Amino acid sequence: MARKKAGDGQLTQYTTIKVRLYPTPEQAELFEKTFGCCRYIWNQMLADQQRFYLETDAHFIPTPAKYKKEAPFLKEVDSQALIQEHNKLSQAFRVFFKSPETFGYPKFKKKKTDRDSFTACNHEFESGPTIYITKDGIRMTKAGIVKAKFSRRPQAWWKLKRITVDRTKTGKYYCSILYEVQAKKPNPVTPTEETTIGLKYSMAHFYVADNGGMADPPHWLRQSQEKLAKIQRRLDRMEPGSKNYQGMVQKYRLLHEHIANQRRDFIHKESSRIANDWDAVCVRADDLQAIARGPVRGNVLESGYGIFRNYLRYKLERQGKTLLLVDRYAPTSRNTPQHQREIYAAKNIKALGLAQYFACQEVRESA
C-alpha cells in the first residue's frame, strides 16, 4: 500500500482488493485478445525504441496509436490497456536509467513465460465511471459486466483508480482492484523495550523472536508440499506429452497455486498479528537472494519472508508504528545450539534496532 500526503491530519492511501472472475466464453476470448495485444504492443514499442536509439542516439518510445493502422486488431480491445503498456515500458526505462545495477534493461515479452495480464484505468465522465463494481460483478470497458466473487467489499467513499486482470497457469481469471482512500493520519507511536520485538529469519521456523516465539508454517501447508513432492515424482516416471502427463501437469499447477494461496494467507495473518501486538518490530535486512545462493537447505525465496517484511512495514505504518531494519552485516549470532543461537540473534537485532531508532530521534531533536 502506497501513501502520499493529502493535507493536515490526512493521508491518501492505496489499497487493493483481489477478486475471482467468472467470465463468459465471449468475455474470456476478449481477455485473451487483450493479453495478446498488450504483449504485441510492448514488443513493438521496445523494438522501435531500440531502433530509434541506434539511429539517433536518443531515447523515444512511440505511443500505441502509431500501430493501430498496421495492426487493426488492436482496435478490438480496450485502448486503456494498451496505454498502460506504454506507461509501464516508460517506467521500466526510467528506473533502468536511474539505477541500471538494480533494474535490468526492459526485455521482450514471451507468451510461454510471461504472465498474462492487462491494466486499465478508471475515468469519470458525466455519464458515469468507465469501471465500477456491481452486486456480483465488475463493469469493464468492452467486456461489460464480468461476474466476480468478492471476499470483501470496498467502503462507499473509496475511489476506484484502476484494475489489473490476469490469468493463472491453471486457467483462472482474477482482478486486482486498486482504490484510493482518504484516511486520518495515525499518531506516531514511540517504541519501548517492552513493546518492541526482534525477529530473526529462520530456515526451520520461518522466524524466531527474541522472546523465544516461533512462526512454524501450519501443518496443512506442509501436507500440501508433501503432496506436491509426490506429484513431482510421478511426473518424473511419465512420458512427456502423453494425456496422463498433461493431466498430472494440471494437477501440479493447481496444487502449486493452492500452496501459494495458503502461504499468502499465513503471511497475512502472521504479519497482522505482530503489527497489532507490538509497537515496533526489528528485523535484519537480509538479502534473501544472496542467502538462496549460499549453502542452505530448502528454498529461501519460496518461504515468503521477503513478502512478510513488506506486509509488516505497511501494516505497522497504518498504525503509526515502525519497522526497524538492521544492517544485514551486523554481527548478531554466536556459536551456540541452533535455536538458542537464533534467539540470541533476535535479541541483538532488537537491541541494534532500538539503538538505531533513538539515535535518529536525537539527531532530529538537535537539528
Short mmCIF file of all heavy atoms in Angstrom, two decimals, residues 3-60:
data_model
loop_
_atom_site.label_atom_id
_atom_site.label_comp_id
_atom_site.label_asym_id
_atom_site.label_seq_id
_atom_site.Cartn_x
_atom_site.Cartn_y
_atom_site.Cartn_z
N ARG A 3 1.47 5.50 0.00
CA ARG A 3 0.84 6.63 0.67
C ARG A 3 1.40 7.93 0.14
O ARG A 3 2.53 8.00 -0.33
CB ARG A 3 1.12 6.59 2.18
CG ARG A 3 0.49 5.42 2.91
CD ARG A 3 0.74 5.58 4.38
NE ARG A 3 0.04 4.56 5.14
CZ ARG A 3 -0.15 4.62 6.45
NH1 ARG A 3 0.29 5.63 7.12
NH2 ARG A 3 -0.80 3.65 7.08
N LYS A 4 0.62 9.00 0.24
CA LYS A 4 1.11 10.34 -0.03
C LYS A 4 0.31 11.31 0.83
O LYS A 4 -0.79 11.01 1.30
CB LYS A 4 0.96 10.69 -1.51
CG LYS A 4 -0.47 10.76 -2.00
CD LYS A 4 -0.52 11.15 -3.47
CE LYS A 4 -1.97 11.23 -3.95
NZ LYS A 4 -2.06 11.60 -5.36
N LYS A 5 0.91 12.49 1.07
CA LYS A 5 0.24 13.47 1.91
C LYS A 5 -0.99 14.03 1.23
O LYS A 5 -0.98 14.33 0.06
CB LYS A 5 1.21 14.60 2.26
CG LYS A 5 2.37 14.14 3.15
CD LYS A 5 3.26 15.31 3.49
CE LYS A 5 4.41 14.86 4.39
NZ LYS A 5 5.30 15.99 4.73
N ALA A 6 -2.06 14.21 1.99
CA ALA A 6 -3.29 14.75 1.42
C ALA A 6 -3.74 16.01 2.14
O ALA A 6 -4.76 16.58 1.80
CB ALA A 6 -4.40 13.70 1.50
N GLY A 7 -2.99 16.47 3.13
CA GLY A 7 -3.40 17.65 3.88
C GLY A 7 -3.14 17.42 5.35
O GLY A 7 -2.68 16.37 5.77
N ASP A 8 -3.43 18.43 6.16
CA ASP A 8 -3.20 18.35 7.60
C ASP A 8 -4.03 17.22 8.20
O ASP A 8 -5.25 17.21 8.11
CB ASP A 8 -3.56 19.67 8.27
CG ASP A 8 -2.61 20.78 7.85
OD1 ASP A 8 -1.49 20.44 7.42
OD2 ASP A 8 -3.00 21.96 7.95
N GLY A 9 -3.32 16.28 8.84
CA GLY A 9 -4.01 15.19 9.53
C GLY A 9 -4.61 14.14 8.63
O GLY A 9 -5.30 13.25 9.08
N GLN A 10 -4.38 14.26 7.29
CA GLN A 10 -4.97 13.31 6.35
C GLN A 10 -3.89 12.66 5.49
O GLN A 10 -2.85 13.26 5.21
CB GLN A 10 -5.98 14.01 5.45
CG GLN A 10 -7.25 14.45 6.16
CD GLN A 10 -8.15 13.28 6.51
OE1 GLN A 10 -8.36 12.38 5.72
NE2 GLN A 10 -8.69 13.31 7.72
N LEU A 11 -4.15 11.44 5.08
CA LEU A 11 -3.27 10.71 4.18
C LEU A 11 -4.10 10.11 3.05
O LEU A 11 -5.24 9.72 3.25
CB LEU A 11 -2.56 9.57 4.91
CG LEU A 11 -1.35 9.89 5.78
CD1 LEU A 11 -0.86 8.62 6.43
CD2 LEU A 11 -0.24 10.53 4.97
N THR A 12 -3.51 10.09 1.88
CA THR A 12 -4.11 9.35 0.77
C THR A 12 -3.45 7.99 0.73
O THR A 12 -2.24 7.88 0.54
CB THR A 12 -3.91 10.07 -0.57
OG1 THR A 12 -4.56 11.34 -0.52
CG2 THR A 12 -4.50 9.26 -1.71
N GLN A 13 -4.23 6.95 0.94
CA GLN A 13 -3.72 5.59 0.94
C GLN A 13 -4.24 4.84 -0.28
O GLN A 13 -5.28 5.20 -0.85
CB GLN A 13 -4.16 4.85 2.21
CG GLN A 13 -3.70 5.49 3.50
CD GLN A 13 -4.22 4.75 4.71
OE1 GLN A 13 -5.13 3.93 4.61
NE2 GLN A 13 -3.63 5.03 5.85
N TYR A 14 -3.51 3.81 -0.67
CA TYR A 14 -3.94 2.97 -1.78
C TYR A 14 -4.03 1.54 -1.28
O TYR A 14 -3.09 1.01 -0.68
CB TYR A 14 -2.97 3.06 -2.96
CG TYR A 14 -2.95 4.43 -3.58
CD1 TYR A 14 -2.01 5.38 -3.20
CD2 TYR A 14 -3.88 4.77 -4.54
CE1 TYR A 14 -2.00 6.65 -3.76
CE2 TYR A 14 -3.88 6.03 -5.12
CZ TYR A 14 -2.95 6.97 -4.72
OH TYR A 14 -2.95 8.22 -5.28
N THR A 15 -5.17 0.93 -1.50
CA THR A 15 -5.38 -0.45 -1.07
C THR A 15 -6.00 -1.25 -2.21
O THR A 15 -6.70 -0.70 -3.07
CB THR A 15 -6.28 -0.51 0.18
OG1 THR A 15 -6.27 -1.82 0.72
CG2 THR A 15 -7.70 -0.08 -0.14
N THR A 16 -5.74 -2.54 -2.21
CA THR A 16 -6.16 -3.40 -3.32
C THR A 16 -7.07 -4.51 -2.83
O THR A 16 -6.82 -5.12 -1.79
CB THR A 16 -4.94 -4.02 -4.02
OG1 THR A 16 -4.09 -2.97 -4.49
CG2 THR A 16 -5.36 -4.88 -5.20
N ILE A 17 -8.12 -4.77 -3.58
CA ILE A 17 -9.00 -5.91 -3.35
C ILE A 17 -8.87 -6.85 -4.55
O ILE A 17 -9.05 -6.42 -5.69
CB ILE A 17 -10.47 -5.48 -3.17
CG1 ILE A 17 -10.62 -4.64 -1.89
CG2 ILE A 17 -11.40 -6.68 -3.14
CD1 ILE A 17 -12.03 -4.12 -1.67
N LYS A 18 -8.55 -8.10 -4.28
CA LYS A 18 -8.41 -9.09 -5.35
C LYS A 18 -9.62 -10.00 -5.38
O LYS A 18 -10.03 -10.53 -4.36
CB LYS A 18 -7.13 -9.92 -5.16
CG LYS A 18 -6.81 -10.81 -6.35
CD LYS A 18 -5.44 -11.45 -6.20
CE LYS A 18 -5.07 -12.27 -7.43
NZ LYS A 18 -3.71 -12.87 -7.32
N VAL A 19 -10.22 -10.15 -6.57
CA VAL A 19 -11.45 -10.95 -6.70
C VAL A 19 -11.27 -11.99 -7.80
O VAL A 19 -10.47 -11.82 -8.73
CB VAL A 19 -12.67 -10.06 -7.03
CG1 VAL A 19 -12.88 -9.03 -5.93
CG2 VAL A 19 -12.50 -9.37 -8.38
N ARG A 20 -12.01 -13.07 -7.68
CA ARG A 20 -12.01 -14.11 -8.72
C ARG A 20 -13.06 -13.75 -9.77
O ARG A 20 -14.19 -13.37 -9.44
CB ARG A 20 -12.35 -15.47 -8.08
CG ARG A 20 -12.55 -16.62 -9.05
CD ARG A 20 -11.27 -17.23 -9.50
NE ARG A 20 -11.52 -18.30 -10.47
CZ ARG A 20 -11.75 -19.57 -10.16
NH1 ARG A 20 -11.78 -19.95 -8.88
NH2 ARG A 20 -11.95 -20.48 -11.10
N LEU A 21 -12.68 -13.84 -11.04
CA LEU A 21 -13.58 -13.54 -12.14
C LEU A 21 -14.12 -14.82 -12.76
O LEU A 21 -13.42 -15.83 -12.84
CB LEU A 21 -12.86 -12.72 -13.22
CG LEU A 21 -12.35 -11.33 -12.84
CD1 LEU A 21 -11.64 -10.70 -14.03
CD2 LEU A 21 -13.47 -10.43 -12.34
N TYR A 22 -15.37 -14.74 -13.24
CA TYR A 22 -16.00 -15.87 -13.94
C TYR A 22 -16.57 -15.35 -15.27
O TYR A 22 -17.78 -15.16 -15.41
CB TYR A 22 -17.10 -16.49 -13.08
CG TYR A 22 -16.58 -17.09 -11.79
CD1 TYR A 22 -16.51 -16.31 -10.63
CD2 TYR A 22 -16.15 -18.41 -11.73
CE1 TYR A 22 -16.02 -16.85 -9.44
CE2 TYR A 22 -15.67 -18.95 -10.55
CZ TYR A 22 -15.60 -18.16 -9.41
OH TYR A 22 -15.11 -18.69 -8.24
N PRO A 23 -15.68 -15.08 -16.24
CA PRO A 23 -16.14 -14.50 -17.50
C PRO A 23 -16.92 -15.50 -18.35
O PRO A 23 -16.72 -16.73 -18.24
CB PRO A 23 -14.83 -14.11 -18.19
CG PRO A 23 -13.82 -15.08 -17.65
CD PRO A 23 -14.23 -15.31 -16.22
N THR A 24 -17.80 -14.98 -19.20
CA THR A 24 -18.46 -15.82 -20.20
C THR A 24 -17.42 -16.21 -21.25
O THR A 24 -16.34 -15.62 -21.32
CB THR A 24 -19.60 -15.05 -20.87
OG1 THR A 24 -19.04 -13.93 -21.59
CG2 THR A 24 -20.61 -14.55 -19.84
N PRO A 25 -17.71 -17.19 -22.11
CA PRO A 25 -16.75 -17.54 -23.17
C PRO A 25 -16.37 -16.35 -24.04
O PRO A 25 -15.20 -16.22 -24.43
CB PRO A 25 -17.50 -18.61 -23.97
CG PRO A 25 -18.42 -19.25 -22.98
CD PRO A 25 -18.85 -18.14 -22.08
N GLU A 26 -17.34 -15.47 -24.32
CA GLU A 26 -17.04 -14.28 -25.13
C GLU A 26 -16.12 -13.32 -24.38
O GLU A 26 -15.20 -12.74 -24.96
CB GLU A 26 -18.34 -13.57 -25.51
CG GLU A 26 -19.25 -14.34 -26.45
CD GLU A 26 -20.02 -15.46 -25.74
OE1 GLU A 26 -20.12 -15.41 -24.49
OE2 GLU A 26 -20.53 -16.36 -26.45
N GLN A 27 -16.37 -13.14 -23.09
CA GLN A 27 -15.52 -12.25 -22.29
C GLN A 27 -14.12 -12.84 -22.13
O GLN A 27 -13.13 -12.10 -22.19
CB GLN A 27 -16.16 -12.02 -20.91
CG GLN A 27 -17.42 -11.17 -20.98
CD GLN A 27 -18.17 -11.15 -19.66
OE1 GLN A 27 -18.09 -12.09 -18.85
NE2 GLN A 27 -18.92 -10.08 -19.43
N ALA A 28 -14.04 -14.16 -21.94
CA ALA A 28 -12.73 -14.81 -21.83
C ALA A 28 -11.94 -14.66 -23.12
O ALA A 28 -10.72 -14.43 -23.10
CB ALA A 28 -12.91 -16.30 -21.48
N GLU A 29 -12.64 -14.75 -24.26
CA GLU A 29 -11.98 -14.57 -25.56
C GLU A 29 -11.44 -13.15 -25.69
O GLU A 29 -10.32 -12.94 -26.19
CB GLU A 29 -12.96 -14.87 -26.69
CG GLU A 29 -12.34 -14.76 -28.08
CD GLU A 29 -13.33 -15.04 -29.19
OE1 GLU A 29 -14.51 -15.36 -28.88
OE2 GLU A 29 -12.94 -14.92 -30.37
N LEU A 30 -12.22 -12.16 -25.21
CA LEU A 30 -11.76 -10.77 -25.24
C LEU A 30 -10.53 -10.59 -24.34
O LEU A 30 -9.58 -9.88 -24.72
CB LEU A 30 -12.88 -9.83 -24.79
CG LEU A 30 -12.52 -8.35 -24.68
CD1 LEU A 30 -12.08 -7.79 -26.03
CD2 LEU A 30 -13.69 -7.55 -24.12
N PHE A 31 -10.55 -11.20 -23.17
CA PHE A 31 -9.39 -11.12 -22.28
C PHE A 31 -8.14 -11.68 -22.96
O PHE A 31 -7.06 -11.09 -22.88
CB PHE A 31 -9.65 -11.89 -20.98
CG PHE A 31 -10.64 -11.23 -20.05
CD1 PHE A 31 -11.19 -11.92 -18.99
CD2 PHE A 31 -11.02 -9.91 -20.23
CE1 PHE A 31 -12.09 -11.33 -18.12
CE2 PHE A 31 -11.92 -9.29 -19.38
CZ PHE A 31 -12.46 -10.02 -18.32
N GLU A 32 -8.30 -12.84 -23.62
CA GLU A 32 -7.15 -13.46 -24.29
C GLU A 32 -6.62 -12.55 -25.40
O GLU A 32 -5.41 -12.43 -25.58
CB GLU A 32 -7.54 -14.83 -24.85
CG GLU A 32 -7.91 -15.86 -23.79
CD GLU A 32 -6.80 -16.12 -22.79
OE1 GLU A 32 -5.63 -16.19 -23.22
OE2 GLU A 32 -7.09 -16.23 -21.59
N LYS A 33 -7.53 -11.92 -26.14
CA LYS A 33 -7.10 -10.98 -27.18
C LYS A 33 -6.35 -9.80 -26.56
O LYS A 33 -5.34 -9.34 -27.10
CB LYS A 33 -8.31 -10.46 -27.96
CG LYS A 33 -8.91 -11.46 -28.93
CD LYS A 33 -10.07 -10.82 -29.68
CE LYS A 33 -10.70 -11.78 -30.68
NZ LYS A 33 -11.84 -11.17 -31.40
N THR A 34 -6.84 -9.34 -25.41
CA THR A 34 -6.22 -8.19 -24.75
C THR A 34 -4.83 -8.56 -24.25
O THR A 34 -3.88 -7.78 -24.40
CB THR A 34 -7.09 -7.69 -23.59
OG1 THR A 34 -8.43 -7.47 -24.04
CG2 THR A 34 -6.54 -6.38 -23.03
N PHE A 35 -4.69 -9.76 -23.68
CA PHE A 35 -3.36 -10.21 -23.24
C PHE A 35 -2.39 -10.21 -24.43
O PHE A 35 -1.27 -9.71 -24.33
CB PHE A 35 -3.43 -11.63 -22.66
CG PHE A 35 -4.27 -11.77 -21.43
CD1 PHE A 35 -4.95 -12.96 -21.17
CD2 PHE A 35 -4.38 -10.73 -20.53
CE1 PHE A 35 -5.72 -13.10 -20.04
CE2 PHE A 35 -5.16 -10.86 -19.38
CZ PHE A 35 -5.83 -12.05 -19.13
N GLY A 36 -2.85 -10.77 -25.55
CA GLY A 36 -2.01 -10.85 -26.73
C GLY A 36 -1.66 -9.48 -27.29
O GLY A 36 -0.51 -9.23 -27.70
N CYS A 37 -2.63 -8.58 -27.32
CA CYS A 37 -2.39 -7.23 -27.84
C CYS A 37 -1.41 -6.46 -26.95
O CYS A 37 -0.56 -5.71 -27.46
CB CYS A 37 -3.70 -6.46 -27.96
SG CYS A 37 -4.77 -7.03 -29.31
N CYS A 38 -1.53 -6.65 -25.63
CA CYS A 38 -0.61 -5.97 -24.72
C CYS A 38 0.82 -6.48 -24.91
O CYS A 38 1.78 -5.69 -24.90
CB CYS A 38 -1.05 -6.19 -23.27
SG CYS A 38 -2.53 -5.26 -22.81
N ARG A 39 0.93 -7.78 -25.09
CA ARG A 39 2.26 -8.36 -25.33
C ARG A 39 2.82 -7.85 -26.67
O ARG A 39 4.00 -7.50 -26.78
CB ARG A 39 2.15 -9.88 -25.30
CG ARG A 39 3.47 -10.61 -25.39
CD ARG A 39 3.32 -12.08 -25.03
NE ARG A 39 2.24 -12.71 -25.77
CZ ARG A 39 1.11 -13.15 -25.22
NH1 ARG A 39 0.88 -13.00 -23.93
NH2 ARG A 39 0.17 -13.72 -25.97
N TYR A 40 1.96 -7.80 -27.69
CA TYR A 40 2.37 -7.34 -29.02
C TYR A 40 2.81 -5.88 -28.99
O TYR A 40 3.88 -5.53 -29.52
CB TYR A 40 1.20 -7.51 -30.00
CG TYR A 40 1.42 -6.90 -31.35
CD1 TYR A 40 2.09 -7.59 -32.36
CD2 TYR A 40 0.96 -5.61 -31.64
CE1 TYR A 40 2.30 -7.02 -33.61
CE2 TYR A 40 1.16 -5.03 -32.88
CZ TYR A 40 1.83 -5.75 -33.87
OH TYR A 40 2.04 -5.17 -35.10
N ILE A 41 2.02 -5.02 -28.34
CA ILE A 41 2.33 -3.59 -28.34
C ILE A 41 3.60 -3.31 -27.55
O ILE A 41 4.41 -2.44 -27.90
CB ILE A 41 1.13 -2.76 -27.81
CG1 ILE A 41 1.15 -1.34 -28.37
CG2 ILE A 41 1.09 -2.73 -26.30
CD1 ILE A 41 0.74 -1.25 -29.80
N TRP A 42 3.81 -4.04 -26.46
CA TRP A 42 5.05 -3.90 -25.67
C TRP A 42 6.26 -4.22 -26.53
O TRP A 42 7.23 -3.45 -26.57
CB TRP A 42 4.99 -4.81 -24.45
CG TRP A 42 6.27 -4.91 -23.66
CD1 TRP A 42 7.40 -5.60 -23.99
CD2 TRP A 42 6.55 -4.28 -22.40
NE1 TRP A 42 8.36 -5.46 -23.02
CE2 TRP A 42 7.87 -4.65 -22.04
CE3 TRP A 42 5.83 -3.45 -21.55
CZ2 TRP A 42 8.47 -4.22 -20.85
CZ3 TRP A 42 6.43 -3.02 -20.37
CH2 TRP A 42 7.72 -3.40 -20.03
N ASN A 43 6.21 -5.35 -27.21
CA ASN A 43 7.34 -5.78 -28.04
C ASN A 43 7.60 -4.82 -29.20
O ASN A 43 8.74 -4.54 -29.55
CB ASN A 43 7.12 -7.20 -28.56
CG ASN A 43 7.19 -8.24 -27.46
OD1 ASN A 43 7.76 -7.99 -26.39
ND2 ASN A 43 6.62 -9.40 -27.70
N GLN A 44 6.52 -4.31 -29.82
CA GLN A 44 6.68 -3.37 -30.93
C GLN A 44 7.29 -2.06 -30.45
O GLN A 44 8.21 -1.52 -31.09
CB GLN A 44 5.32 -3.10 -31.59
CG GLN A 44 4.74 -4.27 -32.34
CD GLN A 44 5.59 -4.65 -33.54
OE1 GLN A 44 6.02 -3.81 -34.31
NE2 GLN A 44 5.84 -5.95 -33.70
N MET A 45 6.82 -1.54 -29.32
CA MET A 45 7.35 -0.28 -28.79
C MET A 45 8.81 -0.44 -28.39
O MET A 45 9.64 0.45 -28.63
CB MET A 45 6.51 0.19 -27.60
CG MET A 45 5.11 0.66 -27.97
SD MET A 45 4.20 1.40 -26.59
CE MET A 45 4.08 -0.01 -25.46
N LEU A 46 9.14 -1.59 -27.76
CA LEU A 46 10.52 -1.82 -27.33
C LEU A 46 11.45 -1.95 -28.53
O LEU A 46 12.56 -1.40 -28.54
CB LEU A 46 10.58 -3.08 -26.46
CG LEU A 46 11.96 -3.48 -25.92
CD1 LEU A 46 12.60 -2.33 -25.15
CD2 LEU A 46 11.85 -4.72 -25.03
N ALA A 47 10.99 -2.67 -29.58
CA ALA A 47 11.81 -2.83 -30.78
C ALA A 47 12.05 -1.48 -31.47
O ALA A 47 13.17 -1.18 -31.90
CB ALA A 47 11.13 -3.80 -31.75
N ASP A 48 11.00 -0.65 -31.54
CA ASP A 48 11.14 0.66 -32.18
C ASP A 48 12.02 1.59 -31.34
O ASP A 48 12.76 2.42 -31.89
CB ASP A 48 9.78 1.29 -32.41
CG ASP A 48 9.05 0.66 -33.59
OD1 ASP A 48 9.70 -0.07 -34.36
OD2 ASP A 48 7.84 0.90 -33.75
N GLN A 49 11.92 1.47 -30.01
CA GLN A 49 12.78 2.28 -29.15
C GLN A 49 14.26 1.94 -29.40
O GLN A 49 15.10 2.83 -29.50
CB GLN A 49 12.42 2.03 -27.68
CG GLN A 49 13.16 2.91 -26.68
CD GLN A 49 14.54 2.38 -26.33
OE1 GLN A 49 14.81 1.18 -26.46
NE2 GLN A 49 15.41 3.27 -25.88
N GLN A 50 14.54 0.65 -29.49
CA GLN A 50 15.93 0.22 -29.73
C GLN A 50 16.42 0.70 -31.10
O GLN A 50 17.55 1.17 -31.24
CB GLN A 50 16.01 -1.31 -29.63
CG GLN A 50 15.77 -1.83 -28.22
CD GLN A 50 15.83 -3.35 -28.16
OE1 GLN A 50 15.84 -4.02 -29.19
NE2 GLN A 50 15.89 -3.90 -26.95
N ARG A 51 15.55 0.60 -32.10
CA ARG A 51 15.92 1.03 -33.45
C ARG A 51 16.16 2.56 -33.48
O ARG A 51 17.13 3.04 -34.08
CB ARG A 51 14.81 0.66 -34.44
CG ARG A 51 15.17 0.88 -35.90
CD ARG A 51 14.04 0.47 -36.82
NE ARG A 51 13.65 -0.92 -36.62
CZ ARG A 51 12.51 -1.32 -36.06
NH1 ARG A 51 11.62 -0.42 -35.66
NH2 ARG A 51 12.23 -2.60 -35.92
N PHE A 52 15.28 3.30 -32.83
CA PHE A 52 15.41 4.76 -32.79
C PHE A 52 16.70 5.17 -32.08
O PHE A 52 17.39 6.10 -32.50
CB PHE A 52 14.19 5.37 -32.08
CG PHE A 52 14.11 6.86 -32.15
CD1 PHE A 52 13.57 7.50 -33.25
CD2 PHE A 52 14.59 7.64 -31.10
CE1 PHE A 52 13.51 8.89 -33.32
CE2 PHE A 52 14.53 9.02 -31.16
CZ PHE A 52 13.99 9.64 -32.27
N TYR A 53 17.03 4.46 -31.00
CA TYR A 53 18.24 4.79 -30.24
C TYR A 53 19.49 4.54 -31.06
O TYR A 53 20.45 5.32 -31.04
CB TYR A 53 18.28 3.97 -28.94
CG TYR A 53 19.44 4.31 -28.05
CD1 TYR A 53 19.39 5.42 -27.21
CD2 TYR A 53 20.60 3.54 -28.05
CE1 TYR A 53 20.46 5.75 -26.39
CE2 TYR A 53 21.68 3.86 -27.24
CZ TYR A 53 21.59 4.96 -26.41
OH TYR A 53 22.66 5.29 -25.61
N LEU A 54 19.50 3.43 -31.84
CA LEU A 54 20.65 3.12 -32.68
C LEU A 54 20.84 4.15 -33.78
O LEU A 54 21.97 4.49 -34.16
CB LEU A 54 20.50 1.73 -33.30
CG LEU A 54 20.65 0.54 -32.35
CD1 LEU A 54 20.31 -0.76 -33.07
CD2 LEU A 54 22.06 0.47 -31.78
N GLU A 55 19.72 4.69 -34.29
CA GLU A 55 19.79 5.63 -35.40
C GLU A 55 20.06 7.06 -34.96
O GLU A 55 20.70 7.83 -35.70
CB GLU A 55 18.48 5.59 -36.20
CG GLU A 55 18.24 4.25 -36.90
CD GLU A 55 16.86 4.18 -37.53
OE1 GLU A 55 16.06 5.11 -37.31
OE2 GLU A 55 16.59 3.18 -38.23
N THR A 56 19.58 7.44 -33.77
CA THR A 56 19.68 8.84 -33.35
C THR A 56 20.44 9.06 -32.04
O THR A 56 20.71 10.21 -31.67
CB THR A 56 18.27 9.43 -33.17
OG1 THR A 56 17.62 8.76 -32.07
CG2 THR A 56 17.44 9.25 -34.42
N ASP A 57 20.73 7.96 -31.33
CA ASP A 57 21.37 8.05 -30.02
C ASP A 57 20.51 8.80 -29.01
O ASP A 57 21.00 9.43 -28.07
CB ASP A 57 22.75 8.73 -30.13
CG ASP A 57 23.64 8.40 -28.93
OD1 ASP A 57 23.49 7.30 -28.37
OD2 ASP A 57 24.46 9.25 -28.54
N ALA A 58 19.19 8.75 -29.21
CA ALA A 58 18.24 9.39 -28.30
C ALA A 58 17.16 8.38 -27.91
O ALA A 58 16.86 7.45 -28.66
CB ALA A 58 17.60 10.61 -28.95
N HIS A 59 16.56 8.59 -26.74
CA HIS A 59 15.54 7.68 -26.22
C HIS A 59 14.14 8.18 -26.60
O HIS A 59 13.80 9.34 -26.33
CB HIS A 59 15.67 7.57 -24.70
CG HIS A 59 14.53 6.84 -24.04
ND1 HIS A 59 14.36 5.48 -24.17
CD2 HIS A 59 13.52 7.28 -23.26
CE1 HIS A 59 13.28 5.12 -23.49
NE2 HIS A 59 12.76 6.19 -22.92
N PHE A 60 13.35 7.32 -27.22
CA PHE A 60 11.98 7.68 -27.61
C PHE A 60 11.14 6.42 -27.72
O PHE A 60 11.57 5.43 -28.31
CB PHE A 60 11.97 8.42 -28.94
CG PHE A 60 10.59 8.66 -29.49
CD1 PHE A 60 9.75 9.60 -28.91
CD2 PHE A 60 10.12 7.91 -30.57
CE1 PHE A 60 8.46 9.81 -29.40
CE2 PHE A 60 8.84 8.12 -31.07
CZ PHE A 60 8.01 9.07 -30.48
#
